[in-house]
Amino acid sequence: MTKDCVLVINCGSSSLKFSLIVPQSGETLLSGLAERLLSNDASITIKMDGEKNTSRLPDPFDHQSALSHLVAFLYQHKFEQRLLAIGHRVVHGGENYSKPELVTEVVEKTIEALSALAPLHNPVNLIGIRASKQAFSHLPQVAVFDTAFHQTMPKTAYLYGLPYKLYEQHSIRRYGFHGTSHYFVSMQFAQMNNKPIEDTHVITAHLGNGCSIAAIEGGQCVDTSMGLTPLEGLVMGTRSGSLDPGIVFHLCKQLGYSIEQVDSLLNKESGLLGISEISNDCRTLEEAIENDGNEHANLAMDIFCYQISKTIASYSASLSKLDGIVFTGGIGENSSLVRERVVNRLKLLNLAIDNEANLATRFGKSGNIAKAGHTGCWVIPTNEEWVIAEQTYQLINEGN
Ligand code: ADP
């Protein structure tokens, strides 16, 4: 049997997402999610051939239990004979990694050390890597970093207006996230426009629960909206995005917030949820606007869209020309309302939307939704799992 597929693992604190992908074609053979891990309610759902199977996980209900269940399933369907390697999504690669890495002891230690910059993500990514090393001890494990694609940013874009020694001694700088998604849709944009990537100038907007925008010139990221952490930049589902830093002092000194309370406020209680006081979910807000003209929902969506427009416009300072913009992520791929509101404010960039194309390009469809004669405005579904599978495949084949 040919060895032709990669298992992609994306590990969260209480979840583990996985897909089995043929990197050369992008075909997904199976996918699934283990959730509520570390509780006695833990379960795993595997989707294959249009069918979904959910099972409860046995004690100790952890990432290892989820992987053992998955391994048994892979053996049952003889997929283990086709497995080439395991590709792991790792959130923070710091300045150490600008491309995928074969997981060695040194790489594991570096990911661990980088937990200081991503305390919510890197430790759980490591749990996934370690559990997977036990489950698939004979296979290469590859780490693909969310920050890697943004490592080409110049210092002017990645340094903050802080004392330089904070960068030198403590690595405080902009890193950016969603790198695999920005990379994927910018490559797709070039392909769909029959342009070599070296001659492509594009702004990509990844709008999901987390949201970020990147300016990409010749296939290289030159600026992006997320920073040291994924809290900076746009208003998101529950994250505030960029603020006057003075607000933090005001909350602590005048209003008596603790650091933990500020952390929770900015990460979990703000954004679309905080402004609308209804939901962090774009669909719920759209329904509230459509059904009863809910003012809070409308205001939240307006602030959300205005910030996206402003960020896109600000990248006029980063690019030498603009071939087009791209919308991706759950909101970017599906919300014609958000796309319309964002683009309506960008007339100075010669952007204008074709209403019919905007409504028709949803639910997995890709295409240019710009009015004729205007700058390209594309909807391109992202596929981060495929990028991880492909980069894993390329790395293990290097030198062969
Ligand atoms: P994550 O960042 O967790 O991967 P997704 O990329 O799946 O998130 O995006 C989730 C967001 O996409 C939610 O706000 C959801 O409301 C929005 N979304 C999904 N489908 C639609 C739709 N049909 N219309 C509008 N928004 C949608």
Side-chain angles (χ1 to χ4, degrees):
M1 187 159 301
T2 1
K3 284 193 174 280
D4 63 351
C5 52
V6 171
L7 179 67
V8 175
I9 289 180
N10 181 355
C11 211
S13 54
S14 62
S15 70
L16 189 151
K17 280 192 214 161
F18 50 87
S19 353
L20 188 63
I21 295 178
V22 181
Q24 283 173 308
S25 64
E27 186 190 359
T28 300
L29 301 173
L30 67 82
S31 63
L33 169 71
E35 50 194 338
R36 294 183 298 278
L37 296 176
L38 309 175
S39 81
N40 52 14
D41 221 9
S43 67
I44 183 165
T45 302
I46 302 183
K47 278 193 274 178
M48 193 175 80
D49 298 334
E51 270 184 38
K52 242 188 194 181
N53 268 303
T54 301
S55 318
R56 300 201 54 135
L57 285 171
D59 202 358
F61 318 110
D62 59 1
H63 298 79
Q64 191 69 55
S65 322
L67 279 173
S68 303
H69 184 97
L70 180 60
V71 171
F73 187 91
L74 294 176
Y75 271 83
Q76 193 187 337
H77 295 271
K78 303 210 166 19
F79 281 129
E80 93 286 354
Q81 300 176 19
R82 292 175 62 178
L83 253 187
L84 277 165
I86 320 292
H88 296 270
R89 175 186 181 214
V90 179
V91 167
H92 222 303
E95 286 192 330
N96 305 66
Y97 301 117
S98 55
K99 53 183 190 49
E101 287 288 329
L102 199 61
V103 176
T104 58
E105 246 175 69
V106 174
V107 171
E108 264 185 61
K109 286 217 170 92
T110 311
I111 295 173
E112 196 159 25
L114 288 166
S115 294
L117 295 175
L120 299 180
H121 297 102
N122 276 28
V124 291
N125 296 155
L126 262 184
I127 290 175
I129 290 176
R130 287 175 177 153
S132 159
K133 271 173 68 180
Q134 275 195 25
F136 305 99
S137 52
H138 58 299
L139 291 176
Q141 315 274 333
V142 174
V144 178
F145 302 92
D146 249 29
T147 47
F149 179 62
H150 301 299
Q151 278 297 302
T152 48
M153 277 188 288
K155 269 194 174 158
T156 34
Y158 73 67
L159 282 186
Y160 293 113
L162 289 168
Y164 196 77
K165 62 174 185 280
L166 282 176
Y167 165 59
E168 283 183 312
Q169 294 171 9
H170 300 286
S171 309
I172 294 181
R173 50 158 285 182
R174 176 186 310 288
Y175 291 95
F177 299 87
H178 295 138
T180 47
S181 179
H182 290 293
Y183 162 77
F184 179 76
V185 297
S186 59
M187 297 293 280
Q188 292 276 308
F189 174 86
Q191 241 177 45
M192 289 170 179
N193 285 277
N194 293 316
K195 282 174 88 70
I197 188 70
E198 297 73 28
D199 185 29
T200 302
H201 310 76
V202 63
I203 295 172
T204 51
H206 178 106
L207 311 175
N209 283 313
C211 301
S212 69
I213 304 193
I216 301 164
E217 185 133 284
Q220 310 240 301
C221 175
V222 291
D223 203 353
T224 191
S225 58
M226 281 178 168
L228 173 78
T229 74
L231 183 56
E232 194 185 346
L234 305 167
V235 161
M236 309 179 210
T238 61
R239 286 176 234 163
S240 63
S242 295
L243 294 171
D244 171 357
I247 292 173
V248 175
F249 311 132
H250 186 82
L251 287 168
C252 293
K253 289 186 180 161
Q254 308 298 327
L255 304 180
Y257 278 63
S258 66
I259 289 296
E260 289 70 28
Q261 285 170 325
V262 174
D263 189 334
S264 166
L265 181 83
L266 302 186
N267 276 296
K268 299 189 184 140
E269 300 156 44
S270 297
L272 290 176
L273 172 68
I275 303 167
S276 71
E277 298 179 322
I278 300 175
S279 172
N280 63 310
D281 194 298
C282 181
R283 275 167 298 199
T284 311
L285 298 185
E286 286 192 18
E287 275 162 28
I289 296 169
E290 204 169 300
N291 297 342
D292 57 13
N294 188 293
E295 271 181 40
H296 273 231
N298 197 38
L299 180 64
M301 289 292 266
D302 248 351
I303 294 171
F304 178 72
C305 295
Y306 178 50
Q307 291 210 354
I308 298 167
S309 309
K310 268 210 313 194
T311 306
I312 292 175
S314 75
Y315 290 151
S316 309
S318 324
L319 295 173
S320 57
K321 72 186 245 219
L322 182 64
D323 297 319
I325 65 171
V326 176
F327 288 101
T328 195
I331 299 174
E333 291 166 29
N334 296 301
S335 173
S336 38
L337 179 75
V338 167
R339 298 188 307 228
E340 186 188 331
R341 287 192 184 185
V342 168
V343 172
N344 279 348
R345 289 184 182 271
L346 292 170
K347 293 193 179 70
L348 283 177
L349 293 182
N350 189 35
L351 283 156
I353 235 168
D354 177 306
N355 290 332
E356 228 171 86
N358 185 28
L359 281 173
T361 314
R362 300 196 292 162
F363 314 128
K365 284 201 190 136
S366 53
N368 186 1
I369 58 169
K371 247 189 198 159
H374 289 77
T375 306
C377 178
W378 285 73
V379 177
I380 302 179
T382 194
N383 195 338
E384 290 159 283
E385 287 78 15
W386 186 11
V387 175
I388 295 173
E390 211 185 10
Q391 295 190 341
T392 299
Y393 178 78
Q394 275 169 16
L395 183 72
I396 60 169
N397 280 298
E398 260 172 26
N400 285 352

